[in-house]
């Protein structure tokens, strides 16, 4: 669907109204009920509570009317430059078709890149315009599942999954649905994956090759992967498994499409389970990210943990989510997880809030921005849930993250042992630079140590810092915003950057570290061996774009 951003005059009108609210807020002494605000916005899913103290009724009504009109008018929003691109894709349905495409590219000097769900930054996925390249999407057999052995003693199953199979459902892909989703098919047979990321639109191939991870030090993606089948840069099929050729397997598993086209992944899955947990919004000083020790305790005491720190001045709250696996049996009745942005109107209300708070923050009205923000994310809200693994773990699937709440990320992974230093650094950053806190959130979560050579958690458990950039932001600039975090976090010796998210430009320096092959070399002990193996898999650099060559120095090998 095509979506439209609010015209500037509407933004200006909103700004003017909010200014009036600010003026009135100082003198008036009235209370407005959260329930009535939500009624105006067309939903009553959240529990009532007084959140706007001291705001004049007339002004508020005018403001709410405006928001309501804005929300009801916005059926659609303009696509952003990061949107998934389903044009000019070449579809391959069998391993032989992939082999033929690689050979064609070899003979005509074209680059070949694979489109998964395109949740990664476009430059990590595709070649930039001007480079001769084709974009392959896997279909048919290459997104199907072959059910292999069952182990009745351990209650596990082995399956061979087409690498183009989506974990959940990708709303941007017209061919993705519940019947061809990995998680839904596993669950229907009584099985589950131990972990998923914060959303599950990705294909299994894309998920693995960027080292995507959920918030856990107990479970990681590598736990499930037994073998990889790929078509290498000469068009040959290679089969790698963790027992027969562990080096090649651990090198190729996280390789950003640079070893070959993953065609099938063999995985093991265990018995399905529910995730029982709690989500609540609390002030940071009462949260599990108030200190390194609190964070470490929470990640050791719970299977799954993730937090979004809303660090804006006068907000400083945390949406904290903790959960544990429990058996799916009558002792654990299902209590569905309800996403704070589950209804369509709440998504649009959040979008309106981001518009309003961005403007207010830059217009030096942080108190009012905080007041508006707290309407959407009130401190004190809380829910207990006990939901199916495939709903509770990728809980952001339940919000409109493919359209209205589209977000870009950069993600810095640092040794978990450094958690306190990370919190001290971020606290200082937010104190000294009010704009660093932005008008959305910074996700803080753990990640499990991985055996995959190029995983950002290779060799250590990690704390991950994932600032959110709302794609429709009308003020500010993504690179400037992320740079604030890169400046203070990349000087950490153990810092690594998520392969599928935003990176600083090659050549930029942070502390003593300069982005480019040297930075990667310092960060990954196996990088030299990985590059040497990669050169064997793809001697003609069929998969190498300028982006990856600049970052990793591949063509020089
Ligand atoms: O990349 C990410 O996707 C989800 C979106 O909700 C999330 O939390 C990331 O990080």
């Amino acid at each position: 669907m095509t979506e439209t951003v609010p015209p500037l005059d509407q933004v200006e009108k909103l700004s003017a109204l909010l200014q009036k609210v600010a003026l009135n807020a100082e003198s008036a002494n009235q209370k407005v009920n959260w329930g009535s605000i939500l009624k105006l916005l067309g939903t009553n899913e959240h529990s009532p509570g007084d959140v706007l103290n001291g705001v004049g009724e007339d002004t508020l009504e005018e403001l709410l009317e405006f928001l309501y009109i804005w929300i009801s008018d916005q059926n659609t929003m303009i696509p952003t430059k990061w949107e998934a691109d389903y044009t000019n894709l070449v579809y391959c349905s069998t391993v032989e078709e992939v082999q033929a495409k690689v050979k064609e590219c070899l003979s005509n000097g074209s680059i070949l890149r694979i489109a998964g769900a395109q949740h990664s930054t476009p430059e990590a996925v595709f070649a930039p315009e001007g480079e001769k390249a084709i974009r392959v999407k896997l279909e048919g057999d290459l997104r199907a599942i072959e059910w292999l052995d069952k182990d009745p003693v351990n209650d596990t199953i082995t399956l061979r999954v087409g690498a183009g199979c989506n974990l959940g459902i990708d709303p941007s892909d017209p061919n993705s649905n519940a019947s061809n989703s990995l998680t839904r098919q596993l669950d229907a047979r009584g099985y589950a994956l131990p972990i998923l990321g914060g959303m599950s639109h990705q294909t299994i191939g894309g998920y693995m090759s960027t080292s995507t991870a959920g918030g856990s030090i107990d479970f990681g993606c590598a736990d499930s992967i037994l073998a990889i089948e790929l078509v290498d840069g000469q068009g040959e099929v290679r089969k790698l498994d963790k027992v027969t050729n562990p080096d090649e397997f651990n090198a190729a598993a996280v390789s950003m499409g640079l070893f070959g086209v993953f065609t099938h992944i063999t995985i093991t899955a265990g018995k399905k389970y529910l995730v029982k947990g709690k989500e609540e919004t609390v002030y940071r000083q009462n949260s599990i990210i108030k200190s390194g020790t609190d964070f470490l305790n929470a990640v050791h005491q719970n299977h799954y943990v993730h937090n979004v720190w809303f660090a804006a001045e006068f907000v400083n709250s945390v949406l904290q989510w903790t959960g544990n696996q429990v058996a799916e049996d009558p002792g654990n009745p299902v209590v569905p997880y309800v996403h704070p942005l589950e209804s369509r109107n709440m998504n649009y209300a959040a979008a309106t809030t981001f518009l309003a708070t961005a403007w207010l923050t830059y217009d030096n009205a942080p108190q009012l921005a905080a007041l508006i923000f707290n309407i959407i994310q009130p401190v004190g809200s809380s829910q207990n849930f006990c939901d199916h693994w495939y709903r509770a773990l990728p809980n952001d699937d339940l919000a409109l993250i493919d359209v209205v709440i589209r977000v870009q990320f950069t993600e810095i992974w640092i040794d978990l042992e450094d958690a306190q230093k990370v919190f001290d650094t971020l606290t200082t950053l937010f104190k000294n630079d009010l704009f660093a806190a932005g008008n959305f959130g910074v996700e803080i979560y753990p990640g499990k140590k991985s055996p995959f050579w190029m995983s950002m958690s290779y060799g250590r458990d990690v704390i991950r810092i994932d600032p959110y950039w709302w794609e429709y932001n009308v003020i500010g600039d993504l690179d400037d915003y992320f740079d604030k975090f890169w400046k203070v976090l990349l000087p950490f010796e153990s810092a690594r950057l998520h392969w599928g998210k935003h990176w600083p430009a090659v050549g930029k320096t942070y502390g003593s570290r300069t982005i480019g092959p040297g930075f990667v070399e310092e960060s990954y002990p196996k990088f030299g061996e990985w590059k040497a193996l990669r050169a064997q898999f793809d001697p003609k650099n069929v998969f190498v774009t300028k982006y990856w060559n600049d970052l990793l120095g591949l063509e020089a090998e």
Side-chain angles (χ1 to χ4, degrees), residues 119 198-199 396 401 409 411 443 445 466 468 501:
H119 184 62
M199 37 71 76
D396 279 343
I401 58 166
F409 313 90
E411 192 169 299
E443 192 168 8
Y445 53 154
D466 181 17
Y468 291 172
K501 301 190 176 186

Side-chain angles (χ1 to χ4, degrees), residues 263-508:
T263 44
H264 290 99
I265 316 292
T266 304
I267 65 171
T268 175
K271 191 174 176 181
K272 70 178 178 178
Y273 56 89
L274 301 173
V275 178
K276 188 171 188 171
K278 183 169 189 177
E279 179 181 79
E280 55 187 330
T281 306
V282 295
Y283 286 113
R284 183 185 168 217
Q285 65 265 27
N286 304 323
S287 77
I288 56 183
I289 60 162
K290 74 169 180 290
S291 73
T293 309
D294 286 280
F295 184 66
L296 287 173
N297 286 343
V299 303
H300 283 111
Q301 285 160 11
N302 295 282
H303 288 144
Y304 309 104
V305 173
H306 51 88
N307 308 283
V308 185
W309 182 357
F310 304 112
E313 206 189 1
F314 304 112
V315 178
N316 212 14
S317 63
V318 179
L319 176 68
Q320 64 182 33
W321 189 110
T322 48
N324 287 285
Q325 289 188 5
V326 294
E328 192 172 325
D329 63 31
N332 294 311
V334 171
V335 179
Y337 169 81
V338 180
H339 197 286
L341 302 184
E342 196 167 51
S343 78
R344 184 180 174 283
N345 279 346
M346 282 307 292
N347 281 270
Y348 278 90
T352 311
T353 300
F354 295 146
L355 289 171
T357 53
W359 178 84
L360 285 166
T361 309
Y362 279 81
D363 211 53
N364 206 17
Q367 250 161 316
L368 182 58
L371 186 130
I372 305 271
F373 190 86
N374 289 336
I375 296 176
I376 292 298
Q377 198 62 51
V379 169
S381 58
S382 143
Q383 64 168 311
N384 294 308
F385 57 87
C386 185
D387 206 346
H388 303 281
W389 64 281
Y390 64 85
R391 261 179 61 89
L393 295 178
N395 62 328
D396 279 343
D397 282 351
L398 299 167
L400 295 181
I401 58 166
D402 58 318
V403 277
V404 187
I405 310 295
R406 287 191 62 90
V407 175
Q408 289 294 307
F409 313 90
T410 184
E411 192 169 299
I412 303 122
W413 297 39
I414 292 177
D415 196 318
L416 185 58
E417 295 302 317
D418 287 335
Q420 183 58 51
K421 269 203 260 167
V422 166
F423 291 134
D424 291 343
T425 303
L426 290 176
T427 306
T428 308
L429 171 69
F430 298 140
K431 198 165 139 227
N432 295 340
D433 179 351
L434 300 182
F435 300 121
N439 62 330
F440 196 171
V442 179
E443 192 168 8
I444 309 278
Y445 53 154
K448 184 183 173 184
K449 177 174 165 173
S450 168
F452 297 153
W453 292 1
M454 295 298 280
S455 165
M456 296 78 71
S457 59
Y458 177 75
R460 75 276 164 86
D461 290 332
V462 289
I463 175 168
R464 298 149 63 188
I465 303 95
D466 181 17
Y468 291 172
W469 174 261
W470 184 54
E471 291 184 16
Y472 300 98
N473 255 344
V474 284
I475 297 173
D477 170 83
L478 171 145
D479 283 309
D480 288 347
Y481 175 63
F482 287 161
D483 201 49
K484 295 175 188 296
F485 292 85
W486 294 330
K487 274 191 183 127
V488 296
L489 295 175
L490 291 186
F492 276 69
E493 230 175 78
S494 66
R496 295 177 185 155
L497 279 157
H498 194 306
W499 296 115
K501 301 190 176 186
H502 287 264
W503 275 64
V506 168
K508 283 207 80 168

Side-chain angles (χ1 to χ4, degrees), residues 86 91-93 114-118 136-147 159-170 173 175-187 189 193 196 199-209 225 229 261-267 389:
Y86 278 83
Y91 290 88
C92 286
S93 297
I114 286 287
Q118 302 177 50
V136 171
K137 176 98 183 122
L138 304 179
E139 280 298 331
D141 176 43
L142 300 181
R143 73 190 295 170
I145 298 176
E146 198 183 328
W147 303 91
L159 48 152
R160 185 170 174 263
V161 187
C165 182
N166 294 92
L167 298 172
I169 301 163
D170 175 7
D173 177 356
N175 297 335
S176 171
N177 53 51
S179 0
N180 60 19
S181 129
L182 174 59
T183 56
R184 304 309 192 275
Q185 293 183 78
L186 274 173
D187 190 77
R189 283 172 174 77
L193 296 172
L196 290 163
M199 37 71 76
S200 65
H201 299 177
Q202 315 94 322
T203 60
I204 185 160
Y207 173 73
M208 258 182 73
S209 51
I225 315 290
E229 175 196 81
V261 178
F262 290 177
T263 44
H264 290 99
I265 316 292
T266 304
I267 65 171
W389 64 281

Side-chain angles (χ1 to χ4, degrees), residues 7-29:
L8 199 59
D9 60 338
Q10 284 191 329
V11 176
E12 276 163 4
K13 189 174 174 202
L14 175 59
S15 303
L17 285 167
L18 292 170
Q19 254 176 341
K20 271 206 262 172
V21 177
L23 290 176
N24 285 9
E26 280 171 28
S27 52
N29 189 21

